[in-house]
Amino acid sequence: MKRIFFILTLLFIGMAASAQEQHAHKHHYNHEHPQDSTDVFYRHLKLNELVVTGVTGDTKLKHSTAPISVVSGKELRQTPSTNIIDAIAHQPGVSQITTGAGISKPIIRGLGYNRIIVMSEGVRQEGQQWGDEHGIEVDPQNVNSVEILKGPASLMYGSDAMAGVLILHSSPVQPDGEMKATVSTEYQTNNGLFDYSLDFAGNKKGFVWDARFSDKMAHAYKNKYDGYVPGSQFKERAARLMLGLNKRWGYSHLLWSCFHQTPSIVEGERDEVTGELVRGEGFTDHGYGKTLPFQQIKHYKAVWDNSLNLEKGWLKAVIGYQQNQRQEFEDNADEYELFFKLHTVTYDLRYLSQEFDGWKMAGGVNGMWQQSLNLGEEALIPEYKLFDIGAYATVSKSLDQVTLNGGLRYDHRHLDFNSRNFSGVTGSIGAVWNANDHLNLRLNLARGFRAPNMSELGSNGIHEGTLHYEIGNPNLKSEYSWQADLGLDFTSQYVSAQVALFANRIENYIFAKRIDKVIEEGFRTYEYTQGDARLLGFEAGVDFHPIHSIHFQNTFSFVDAQQLHADDDAKYLPMTPAPRWNSELKYEFTHHGHKALNNAYMALGLECNLAQNHYYKVDDTETRTPGYTLLSLSAGTDLNIHKRKVAEVSITAENLLNTAYQNHLSRLKYCDINNATGRQGVYNMGRNIVFKVIVPISFSF
């Protein structure tokens, strides 16, 4: 704790030292204002000018009472990653649960799984996200920016948004009379990851289209303790097609996408004498082919997205269908043991008003119908049908220097498993005080609700990717939470600083605890239970900008998650991220469009994860995780020919010192013990050098 308060003190000293001009980006999403698609752009502006869509539509961050942050397209392109969650997991307050290099699940302020909603293509992403080893089935090449909403303050999304919402925005439509093609490719040295993506978009008198194809493959990753890790290889392929009309009356877009992924599964078994990881049949260090056991995932999505411009607002209607197929092959590559097939239909009808006399209103009805089928020999969870419906209304009022925001929502979910019904009333109320052009103070209080998922209620089987045998609890109750947020944003010529504090009290918090019972030899047994919990924490950041070319950015995230009225061994909630300090010193060489090298930069990064001494100790469910520090070095530039951008290139060296480490949220941390060294589990990826090239081709017609 002393280290935490020392770092926090340094951040506050930096905030008070002087001031800075924050490099942020103005976002006018064509999803909200398609008639203004020609004005969609990203530009370096003050933080106060950032526009977000996650609370009540198109709203300046300056007037948002809820804690929201935005990751721009440029930031995503400059961040090496193996999937979209990996790309944003270094943001303050955001972490990831990983099972190898190819599978990541988001964590926001210590909460994850079905407590986070991921919005993609205007609909909630539904792909059996209850599983530890189930990632997010989204092509990262198709994500142009990300909004991160922290906490249950957004009433537009309902149950499962207790921890927050990730809104993945695709690229805006092209201006009328223009077409753009983009070719991108990437190579990573550690696991031989190679990917490429082809995109072609255009706009002909309001007829708009966007087509993309992406392909990715990676062999096993390596680190200095384990060497190459069998089962960590994966392949991925995705396609997307959008056709639509953008007219003065609004827009109507039809979208189809598919995502195929084949990740092998890391079992972490070791030779009892040498301690080396056991290699499955056909495995080679640099082989891209799958080896048993492995998953085969297919995700299909069709969305009809509509917006009608009315005299005083917008009427929006979005209907989506998703089909998720998840197969698991254990002993035979031609015969699956598990086969989940999930059908999901989502619907969303909402009205967003224009601002009048400082007032803005929004309201709507949304929900989903879902059916999950078991088509394999084994079944981890029972088949089920689910129906959701929710209605909400929000209102905001802008005064001279104060913006008030509030709303209410009602949700009802019917689950045919034991004919369970779950209902909840949620709401939020908040205020932001724009003291002056440099300082904003925010306060928000929100009520959250989440119904238990089918895995928590009825699971009974082995989860290969997490080495668990899990048992559900059919008597679980819904979770309810109260969260209070207090935030401070400060921007000026030389310094930008943000501090966000939160307190979250959750009734009936659901989690899996290890029990002293062996159902299947070689697998630890876990059973779902619940109790009251409270989470306290903060995110703080300072970006020091003494001259135009230099940025020195520091962020710190901390969450303390405890179960109330529990013994010392059960005091801390499982899967809580360790305190983390991120630091980056960046030098920008050029900002002149006519130069051959434009927007050139070099950056030195430091990620310091402190030791996680607060963990769930009962029956060795979790163990302490030592701290570690990772160093990175990156450089990049735009290449211009005849004053025109022809390519964007970058190179990044991650884990430059080849540090051997285990993240506290890595599921591979609990694999077999190496008898030769005494170390337990599989370690994270070692040194990795990433090369990336993006070639844009624009033309008018």
Side-chain angles (χ1 to χ4, degrees):
M1 291 296 291
K2 291 182 179 179
R3 285 180 292 178
I4 294 171
F5 286 108
F6 174 71
I7 293 173
L8 184 59
T9 301
L10 291 179
L11 293 173
F12 274 103
I13 291 174
M15 184 175 76
S18 57
Q20 131 19 25
E21 181 174 1
Q22 164 79 357
H23 282 290
H25 298 86
K26 187 172 183 179
H27 292 251
H28 284 288
Y29 293 109
N30 63 299
H31 301 285
E32 298 297 327
H33 296 286
Q35 71 275 21
D36 296 331
S37 60
T38 56
D39 294 326
V40 177
F41 59 90
Y42 296 96
R43 189 177 295 170
H44 292 298
L45 292 172
K46 289 184 178 180
L47 177 66
N48 291 343
E49 295 303 310
L50 194 65
V51 175
V52 295
T53 63
V55 182
T56 56
D58 193 12
T59 304
K60 284 186 178 181
L61 184 57
K62 179 179 181 178
H63 298 142
S64 174
T65 60
I68 301 178
S69 58
V70 174
V71 186
S72 69
K74 181 178 180 181
E75 202 171 350
L76 289 173
R77 293 192 300 272
Q78 292 179 357
T79 303
S81 63
T82 56
N83 55 71
I84 185 57
I85 302 304
D86 190 24
I88 64 173
H90 303 285
Q91 297 295 314
V94 182
S95 307
Q96 60 179 330
I97 295 175
T98 60
T99 307
I103 299 174
S104 298
K105 300 178 67 66
I107 295 289
I108 298 178
R109 291 179 167 178
L111 299 174
Y113 297 90
N114 285 78
R115 299 179 183 93
I116 295 176
I117 286 180
V118 177
M119 296 293 295
S120 175
E121 308 290 5
V123 299
R124 55 186 290 167
Q125 183 77 14
E126 287 293 321
Q128 309 280 7
Q129 58 266 35
W130 47 265
D132 289 302
E133 69 278 31
H134 301 171
I136 304 298
E137 302 88 353
V138 172
D139 177 14
Q141 302 294 337
N142 190 51
V143 180
N144 188 64
S145 63
V146 180
E147 281 185 43
I148 304 170
L149 176 60
K150 302 169 185 175
S154 180
L155 301 175
M156 293 196 298
Y157 304 103
S159 176
D160 301 347
M162 177 180 285
V165 182
L166 297 178
I167 306 175
L168 311 181
H169 290 285
S170 55
S171 297
V173 300
Q174 295 299 303
D176 189 17
E178 293 191 10
M179 293 188 293
K180 182 179 180 181
T182 304
V183 180
S184 63
T185 186
E186 178 180 0
Y187 179 73
Q188 301 187 13
T189 59
N190 186 286
N191 60 349
L193 185 149
F194 172 75
D195 71 26
Y196 66 89
S197 185
L198 311 173
D199 183 68
F200 178 57
N203 184 338
K204 178 68 171 179
K205 295 182 179 180
F207 173 69
V208 297
W209 69 89
D210 194 342
R212 179 181 292 276
F213 177 81
S214 302
D215 203 4
K216 179 188 297 182
M217 63 182 70
H219 62 63
Y221 77 83
K222 63 180 178 180
N223 60 64
K224 70 178 184 180
Y225 283 170
D226 301 314
Y228 286 94
V229 178
S232 59
Q233 67 272 26
F234 65 94
K235 290 185 177 181
E236 187 176 295
R237 181 168 290 174
R240 174 183 185 265
L241 175 64
M242 185 276 288
L243 300 173
L245 293 174
N246 276 37
K247 297 294 184 179
R248 297 180 63 87
W249 49 262
Y251 71 81
S252 181
H253 294 168
L254 281 171
L255 178 137
W256 174 84
S257 67
C258 67
F259 177 94
H260 290 185
Q261 187 185 52
T262 307
S264 294
I265 297 175
V266 179
E267 294 188 297
E269 296 180 351
R270 295 184 180 272
D271 184 281
E272 293 185 0
V273 178
T274 66
E276 292 184 357
L277 290 169
V278 175
R279 296 166 174 246
E281 183 179 350
F283 173 80
T284 59
D285 291 346
H286 299 94
Y288 289 91
K290 59 181 180 285
T291 55
L292 292 168
F294 67 88
Q295 296 185 67
Q296 186 165 281
I297 302 149
K298 298 178 180 179
H299 193 92
Y300 303 97
K301 183 186 298 183
V303 178
W304 187 22
D305 186 359
N306 304 272
S307 179
L308 181 64
N309 298 334
L310 304 178
E311 183 178 354
K312 296 182 179 180
W314 299 269
L315 182 64
K316 298 180 177 297
V318 183
I319 299 175
Y321 169 75
Q322 298 173 73
Q323 183 185 120
N324 184 274
Q325 301 178 20
R326 186 176 298 272
Q327 299 171 323
E328 188 172 293
F329 299 80
E330 297 174 10
D331 302 315
N332 188 331
D334 299 318
E335 184 177 341
Y336 50 78
E337 301 293 332
L338 290 172
F339 186 178
F340 297 113
K341 192 171 186 178
L342 180 68
H343 300 275
T344 303
V345 176
T346 55
Y347 59 94
D348 185 354
L349 179 66
R350 72 180 78 163
Y351 173 78
L352 306 172
S353 76
Q354 293 181 351
E355 185 170 343
F356 60 96
D357 296 329
W359 291 92
K360 288 183 69 175
M361 294 182 291
V365 177
N366 54 24
M368 66 177 176
W369 171 87
Q370 198 168 73
Q371 181 180 28
S372 180
L373 303 174
N374 291 328
L375 305 180
E377 293 183 3
E378 299 179 6
L380 297 183
I381 63 174
E383 293 185 343
Y384 69 90
K385 291 182 181 179
L386 174 154
F387 180 74
D388 261 351
I389 187 169
Y392 68 92
T394 66
V395 62
S396 66
K397 171 64 174 177
S398 295
L399 305 173
D400 290 339
Q401 291 180 292
V402 176
T403 300
L404 305 175
N405 190 302
L408 288 172
R409 180 183 178 99
Y410 173 77
D411 281 286
H412 178 78
R413 171 173 293 182
H414 174 73
L415 189 64
D416 70 351
F417 178 73
N418 291 341
S419 193
R420 295 292 302 272
N421 291 285
F422 305 93
S423 299
V425 176
T426 56
S428 70
I429 185 169
V432 56
W433 176 41
N434 307 132
N436 51 50
D437 290 340
H438 305 290
L439 183 65
N440 300 318
L441 181 65
R442 311 171 195 278
L443 179 64
N444 199 84
L445 179 65
R447 173 74 160 169
F449 158 76
R450 183 183 78 91
N453 63 48
M454 182 51 68
S455 178
E456 296 162 338
L457 291 167
S459 64
N460 186 15
I462 298 172
H463 292 239
E464 291 282 350
T466 58
L467 310 177
H468 291 176
Y469 191 104
E470 291 189 359
I471 302 173
N473 182 347
N475 300 314
L476 293 175
K477 302 176 182 178
S478 296
E479 295 180 340
Y480 294 92
S481 71
W482 283 104
Q483 178 163 314
D485 288 274
L486 178 64
L488 178 70
D489 304 328
F490 176 76
T491 63
S492 65
Q493 186 177 1
Y494 300 111
V495 163
S496 169
Q498 301 86 36
V499 178
L501 300 93
F502 66 91
N504 195 355
R505 173 70 158 79
I506 303 178
E507 303 169 29
N508 306 322
Y509 179 85
I510 300 170
F511 64 99
K513 70 172 184 178
R514 187 177 178 184
I515 60 175
D516 189 17
K517 179 180 181 181
V518 177
I519 298 179
E520 189 76 21
E521 193 66 33
F523 292 88
R524 298 180 293 271
T525 305
Y526 289 76
E527 185 177 37
Y528 282 101
T529 186
Q530 58 187 166
D532 295 339
R534 72 109 179 103
L535 295 89
L536 302 174
F538 65 87
E539 299 101 40
V542 174
D543 189 354
F544 184 48
H545 184 61
I547 61 175
H548 181 69
S549 300
I550 293 180
H551 279 270
F552 184 43
Q553 184 173 3
N554 292 269
T555 63
F556 188 78
S557 304
F558 170 77
V559 58
D560 180 68
Q562 295 191 19
Q563 182 180 189
L564 301 177
H565 318 300
D567 296 335
D568 286 345
D569 283 356
K571 180 178 180 181
Y572 297 106
L573 297 182
M575 303 307 291
T576 300
R580 186 182 68 209
W581 171 37
N582 280 15
S583 182
E584 182 185 68
L585 179 61
K586 188 174 185 178
Y587 183 79
E588 298 172 336
F589 295 94
T590 57
H591 287 287
H592 305 289
H594 62 276
K595 296 278 189 179
L597 300 181
N598 187 40
N599 296 323
Y601 70 91
M602 179 174 288
L604 180 66
L606 185 74
E607 179 183 326
C608 179
N609 287 261
L610 304 185
Q612 182 54 289
N613 298 313
H614 295 170
Y615 55 94
Y616 191 77
K617 301 178 182 179
V618 177
D619 293 317
D620 293 324
T621 297
E622 290 187 321
T623 58
R624 177 185 182 273
T625 303
Y628 59 89
T629 299
L630 305 178
L631 190 67
S632 65
L633 184 64
S634 61
T637 186
D638 295 343
L639 301 180
N640 289 352
I641 296 179
H642 301 306
K643 301 182 181 180
R644 185 169 182 174
K645 179 179 174 180
V646 297
E648 184 177 326
V649 298
S650 65
I651 178 173
T652 303
E654 298 183 291
N655 193 0
L656 193 61
L657 303 181
N658 200 27
T659 301
Y661 71 97
Q662 289 177 318
N663 187 281
H664 186 68
L665 302 187
S666 171
R667 302 301 310 184
L668 304 184
K669 181 174 179 280
Y670 300 99
C671 293
D672 287 354
I673 294 176
N674 185 332
N675 292 330
T677 64
R679 303 187 189 100
Q680 182 179 4
V682 175
Y683 282 69
N684 289 72
M685 187 181 293
R687 184 187 296 114
N688 186 30
I689 301 176
V690 181
F691 303 88
K692 185 178 292 188
V693 179
I694 302 173
V695 179
I697 305 171
S698 300
F699 45 92
S700 302
F701 61 94

